Amino acid sequence: MVSRSRFEQLVLAHRNDAYNLAYWILQSRDDAEDAVQDAYIRAFRAFDTFAGNDPRPWLLAIVRNVAYTTFNARKQLRNVIRLIEDSKERSDDAEAAVQDPSPETVAINRQENKLLLEALAALSPVQRDVLVLREMEGLSYKDIANVMGIEIGTVMSRLSRARAELHRVLQCRADHRHLSNGVGSHGFAAPRRRA
């Protein structure tokens, strides 16, 4: 028989982590909430089989499986703009907490945040998963291996490739924006056409 209080004490504390992972996979608040709820039901039913000390990786593995099952069953690709809008709201809330940032700082932070989210959303799901689990959720390589069902060496190589791909995507986007603003490769403005 599952001890409800032990489950609540050990597993419910990780609800925000579970939601964040589901959100990054599904890119929808409603779908992420549904996936987390389903994952918690499954986790509660299987809690008697949990034998570790840290339920976080175990729970996140369940959340990841449920989220991908949901994603594949619905066969929906979420729009990057929706992800950016949700992140922009969170960014606006965070900026309000900072004491009187200059308008330039706010604009730069928003632009950098937008570029990062666009680049992250452009990665493959496997690359995005490993980056979110490591960089945003702070999981160890061992925990990521448990969540994703792969070897630690595979985690390290995927993480390395994901970081390199994120850097490449960010660089391409920065170069594209740089060129579309009329600045050439040498940093000089492109000549304007005379009327």
Side-chain angles (χ1 to χ4, degrees):
M1 174 93 184
V2 175
S3 167
R4 184 176 181 159
S5 63
R6 186 167 187 269
F7 177 82
E8 289 173 353
Q9 178 186 9
L10 293 175
V11 182
L12 286 182
H14 304 293
R15 182 155 171 69
N16 287 341
D17 298 336
Y19 174 81
N20 288 339
L21 179 59
Y23 180 81
W24 278 104
I25 292 170
L26 297 168
Q27 299 181 6
S28 162
R29 289 179 179 187
D30 293 336
D31 290 347
E33 282 292 338
D34 291 344
V36 169
Q37 184 176 10
D38 188 20
Y40 265 91
I41 291 169
R42 292 177 189 211
F44 183 75
R45 289 179 182 154
F47 191 63
D48 284 340
T49 64
F50 173 68
N53 293 329
D54 183 8
R56 187 173 178 228
W58 175 76
L59 174 66
L60 292 179
I62 295 170
V63 170
R64 183 175 182 268
N65 289 338
V66 169
Y68 273 114
T69 299
T70 301
F71 184 80
N72 291 331
R74 295 179 185 172
K75 296 197 184 284
Q76 294 177 347
L77 296 176
R78 298 294 180 193
N79 192 335
V80 174
I81 295 171
R82 192 170 181 181
L83 175 67
I84 293 169
E85 288 173 350
D86 291 343
S87 297
K88 188 175 179 182
E89 289 175 21
R90 283 185 296 234
S91 176
D92 289 344
D93 291 343
E95 289 168 11
V98 176
Q99 290 183 336
D100 300 326
S102 70
E104 295 83 12
T105 301
V106 171
I108 290 169
N109 288 341
R110 281 186 181 163
Q111 185 64 24
E112 288 175 353
N113 189 34
K114 181 180 177 186
L115 285 172
L116 180 60
L117 291 172
E118 287 174 350
L120 190 58
L123 298 179
S124 72
V126 170
Q127 290 175 331
R128 188 170 50 242
D129 285 356
V130 75
L131 276 173
V132 167
L133 290 170
R134 178 68 181 161
E135 305 301 337
M136 295 179 159
E137 296 303 327
L139 265 62
S140 68
Y141 293 145
K142 180 181 177 185
D143 289 344
I144 295 170
N146 289 335
V147 169
M148 296 183 75
I150 56 178
E151 297 294 322
I152 290 177
T154 306
V155 169
M156 291 188 287
S157 64
R158 284 186 183 175
L159 187 58
S160 175
R161 279 186 249 130
R163 286 175 175 155
E165 181 63 11
L166 182 64
H167 182 267
R168 187 194 68 75
V169 170
L170 284 169
Q171 189 62 48
C172 286
R173 290 176 187 266
D175 290 347
H176 175 73
R177 290 178 195 273
H178 187 67
L179 290 173
S180 67
N181 288 334
V183 178
S185 61
H186 299 291
F188 300 108
R192 292 199 172 146
R193 188 174 173 187
R194 293 186 181 182

